[in-house]
């Protein structure tokens, strides 16, 4: 499939087009699947302190996220390598059912270990639902609406950023975390029942390959090992885990280049492939944005901000992503590539400038300094949001014939890997540069400076790669 795009002369569709009679139910189902995943992500983050207070398991706290992300990689991969007899709308049913089962397990969990089992099942279902959101775009909407549909997903995440903590906070305040998980079960059932009726089957000619089992195992292992590296205290052990993760990633890439059982579309293991560069840009932008996981901590420790306020301040990042996605939804052609480059630059600069704003001790709670830091938090999200929908559109246009499902599912895989690697790398940086030792205010300042300085680099590299994206006819395996 070529990477031809709508020329600027053509009238750009509006977001409201997605809610016209022809596309309304498809929009509600696809947006609903992503909303279910997004809201649950923020609900769980808010509920985890209540969960560990109730049933214990503080040492396993971080694994509630790690195991969820790892399982979502598996779910998104199945969408691409599913048997020919399994249609996309049937995959949607599987995903919704798995999400509901995982929520039920979490709701009745007597121990943290059981919660982790539920989170793994939830993550598997979420991987299905998010991957299908992208895979269904070409079946539900005509080509001029592809970029607009991607913008809608950004809007969903923005809404979830505010809904999730609010819902989670309400249930957490009453120690009703089990009820919060139970609330997701009927929604999952409704979506599973509705999928065969409201979504097309999604059948199309596609290239089928064997399941890329080895690559999946190696990538999941890399995520898990990096998570260990971010949490251990001994520098030597941390280095060993980090090196092991690098070895696992290299092994996965090597196998992917020489096997017929591929995880990614053909040709995407070479930087000469435009599609490979799009995926790499996505990954780098996400690694940088995941430095946000420590923003609430630094706001509270260095600036004296309350936990509730710090949660909503970091939510401005997602709001920035959503605002930028709406602002650039109608851009097409060469201008879209310029927006991707500019967005990566904004994200890199905003992240780096947190070194001199957020990474400072502000015991008096100076509002001007805090306000400037807040602007840069917003701009981090704004930067990635400027180009994300256009990167998604590039993937759909550049996918080789018969491999669009695999290319679409790989977007979710990149999201999951970017989030997992970004969080783990952030943990390694802060734990190595003083967050724990010497700790306190001094350690927090040093750790914050190194974190935002180093994690601005991936976005800067993504900007350089974005200057090489095609604007004319090309294929992913050139």
């Amino acid at each position: 499939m070529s990477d031809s795009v709508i020329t600027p002369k053509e009238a750009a569709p509006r977001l409201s087009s997605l809610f016209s009679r022809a596309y309304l139910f498809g929009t509600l189902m696809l947006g609903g699947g992503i909303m279910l995943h997004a809201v649950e992500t923020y609900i769980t983050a808010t509920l985890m302190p209540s969960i560990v207070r109730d049933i214990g398991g503080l040492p396993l706290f971080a694994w509630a996220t790690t195991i969820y992300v790892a399982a979502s990689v598996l779910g998104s991969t199945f969408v691409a390598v599913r048997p020919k007899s399994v249609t996309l709308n049937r995959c949607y049913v599987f995903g919704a059912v798995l999400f509901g089962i995982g929520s039920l397990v979490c709701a009745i969990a007597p121990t943290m270990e059981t919660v982790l089992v539920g989170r793994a099942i939830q993550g598997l279902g979420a991987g299905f639902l998010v991957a299908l959101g992208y895979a269904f775009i070409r079946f539900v909407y005509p080509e001029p609406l592809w970029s607009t549909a991607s913008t809608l997903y950004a809007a969903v995440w923005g809404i979830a950023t505010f809904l999730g903590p609010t819902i989670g906070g309400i249930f957490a305040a009453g120690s009703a975390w089990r009820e919060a998980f139970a609330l997701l079960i009927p929604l999952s059932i409704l979506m599973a029942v509705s999928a065969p009726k409201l979504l097309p089957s999604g059948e199309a000619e596609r290239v089928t390959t064997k399941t890329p089992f080895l690559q999946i195992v190696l990538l999941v292992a890399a995520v898990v090992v990096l998570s260990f590296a971010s949490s251990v205290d001994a520098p030597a052990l941390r280095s060993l885990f980090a090196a092991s993760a690098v070895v696992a990633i290299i092994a996965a890439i090597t196998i992917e280049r020489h096997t017929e059982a591929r995880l990614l579309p053909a040709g995407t293991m070479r930087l000469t492939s435009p599609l490979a560069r799009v995926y790499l840009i996505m990954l780098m932008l996400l690694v940088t944005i995941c430095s946000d996981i420590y923003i609430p901590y630094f706001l509270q420790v260095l600036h004296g901000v309350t936990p509730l306020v710090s949660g909503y301040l970091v939510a401005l990042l997602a709001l920035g992503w959503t605002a930028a996605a709406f602002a650039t939804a109608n851009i097409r052609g060469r201008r879209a590539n310029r927006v991707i480059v500019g967005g990566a630059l904004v994200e890199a600069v905003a992240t780096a400038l947190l070194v001199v704003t957020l990474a400072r001790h502000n015991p008096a709670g100076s509002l001007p300094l805090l306000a400037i830091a807040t602007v840069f938090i917003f701009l981090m999200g704004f930067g990635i949001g400027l180009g994300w929908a256009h990167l998604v559109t590039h993937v759909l246009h550049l996918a080789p014939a018969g491999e669009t499902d695999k290319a679409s599912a790989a977007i979710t895989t990149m999201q999951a890997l970017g989030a997992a690697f970004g969080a783990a790398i952030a943990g390694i940086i802060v734990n190595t540069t003083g967050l724990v030792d010497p700790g306190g205010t001094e350690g927090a300042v040093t750790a914050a400076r190194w974190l935002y300085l180093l994690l601005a680099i991936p976005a800067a590299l993504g900007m350089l790669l974005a200057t090489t994206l095609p604007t004319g006819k090309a294929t992913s395996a050139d």
Side-chain angles (χ1 to χ4, degrees):
M1 188 179 291
S2 75
D3 71 328
S4 56
V5 293
I6 304 170
T7 64
K9 295 181 180 180
E10 295 176 353
R14 296 182 177 182
L15 192 65
S16 59
S17 303
L18 302 179
F19 296 92
S20 64
R21 181 176 298 180
Y23 312 121
L24 176 61
F25 290 116
T27 297
L28 293 177
M29 288 298 293
L30 301 185
I34 293 176
M35 175 67 81
L36 191 67
H37 160 60
V39 169
E40 188 278 336
T41 298
Y42 291 107
I43 288 177
T44 302
T46 307
L47 291 175
M48 281 305 295
S50 298
I51 294 173
V52 297
R53 281 196 301 267
D54 188 13
I55 61 175
L58 182 59
L60 300 174
F61 190 102
W63 284 94
T65 298
T66 299
I67 200 166
Y68 181 88
V69 171
S72 70
V73 173
L74 300 179
S76 65
T77 300
F78 181 83
V79 173
V81 300
R82 70 189 189 280
K84 282 188 174 181
S85 60
V86 180
T87 59
L88 286 180
N89 59 1
R90 192 176 300 175
C91 275
Y92 194 101
V93 174
F94 293 158
V97 168
L98 285 169
F99 197 91
I101 292 173
S103 300
L104 175 61
V105 172
C106 290
I108 63 175
T111 64
M112 179 58 76
E113 288 79 4
T114 310
V115 170
L116 295 183
V117 172
R119 290 290 287 161
I121 300 173
Q122 272 190 324
L124 193 62
F128 274 79
L129 295 176
V130 179
L132 288 167
Y134 292 111
F136 262 119
I137 286 179
R138 64 195 178 103
F139 294 105
V140 174
Y141 309 108
E143 187 173 335
L145 282 175
W146 287 358
S147 179
T148 309
S150 300
T151 301
L152 174 67
Y153 299 158
V156 166
W157 272 99
I159 295 169
T161 301
F162 289 93
L163 282 181
T166 302
I167 296 172
I170 292 171
F171 283 95
S175 297
W177 60 270
R178 296 183 187 277
E179 288 79 358
F181 284 114
L183 180 67
L184 301 171
I185 300 171
L187 294 176
S188 301
I189 294 173
L190 176 63
M191 295 169 70
V193 171
S194 303
K197 302 174 182 178
L198 301 181
L199 289 173
S201 65
E203 293 179 291
E205 182 181 350
R206 62 189 179 95
V207 177
T208 57
T209 61
K210 297 179 180 178
T211 302
F213 181 75
L214 284 176
Q215 297 96 301
I216 295 171
V217 169
L218 286 167
L219 287 175
V220 171
V223 170
V224 172
V225 170
L226 265 183
S227 296
F228 275 122
S230 67
S231 59
V232 298
D233 294 329
L237 192 56
R238 187 181 301 146
S239 299
L240 177 62
F241 280 136
S244 299
V246 171
V247 170
I249 294 169
I250 293 173
I253 292 173
T254 302
I255 293 171
E256 179 77 6
R257 294 187 67 173
H258 297 94
T259 185
E260 293 183 0
R262 288 178 282 100
L263 178 63
L264 300 175
T268 49
M269 284 296 102
R270 301 192 304 271
L271 276 179
T272 54
S273 160
L275 185 55
R277 297 198 293 275
V278 172
Y279 285 141
L280 195 53
I281 293 166
M282 287 179 160
L283 190 67
M284 289 178 172
L285 296 181
L286 287 165
V287 167
T288 292
I289 210 74
C290 281
S291 61
D292 73 328
I293 64 172
Y294 285 97
I295 288 177
Y297 178 83
F298 294 135
L299 285 171
Q300 293 173 44
V301 172
L302 300 179
H303 297 266
V305 176
T306 65
L308 180 61
V309 173
S310 68
Y312 281 106
L313 286 181
V314 77
L316 290 174
L317 188 147
L319 184 63
W321 186 324
T322 302
F326 278 116
T328 61
N330 294 333
I331 293 177
R332 298 291 186 271
R334 293 181 183 274
R335 291 179 61 205
N337 278 3
R338 296 192 197 107
V339 164
I340 295 171
V341 173
L345 176 61
V346 169
E347 183 185 354
V349 171
T351 303
L353 287 175
L354 288 178
V355 172
V356 295
T357 53
L358 183 62
R360 291 178 61 178
H361 191 204
N362 180 24
S366 171
L367 288 179
L369 181 61
L370 185 58
I372 295 171
T374 301
V375 169
F376 291 140
I377 292 170
F378 177 86
L379 288 176
M380 285 176 67
F382 193 85
I384 192 172
L386 281 172
W388 187 263
H390 304 296
L391 289 169
V392 171
T393 304
H394 267 302
V395 170
L396 298 176
H397 282 296
L398 290 166
E403 295 198 90
T404 308
D405 286 352
K406 184 172 288 187
S408 300
I411 297 172
T412 306
T413 302
M414 292 302 114
Q415 286 181 303
L417 292 176
F421 289 144
I425 292 170
I428 292 172
I429 292 172
V430 298
N431 288 332
T432 303
T433 57
L435 189 68
V436 177
D437 183 17
T441 300
E442 179 187 352
V445 170
T446 305
R449 286 174 179 169
W450 279 107
L451 176 65
Y452 297 111
L453 180 64
L454 293 177
L455 282 190
I457 295 174
L461 294 175
M463 178 196 68
L464 295 177
L465 274 178
T467 62
T468 70
L469 292 179
T471 54
K473 300 285 184 179
T475 62
S476 65
D478 60 359

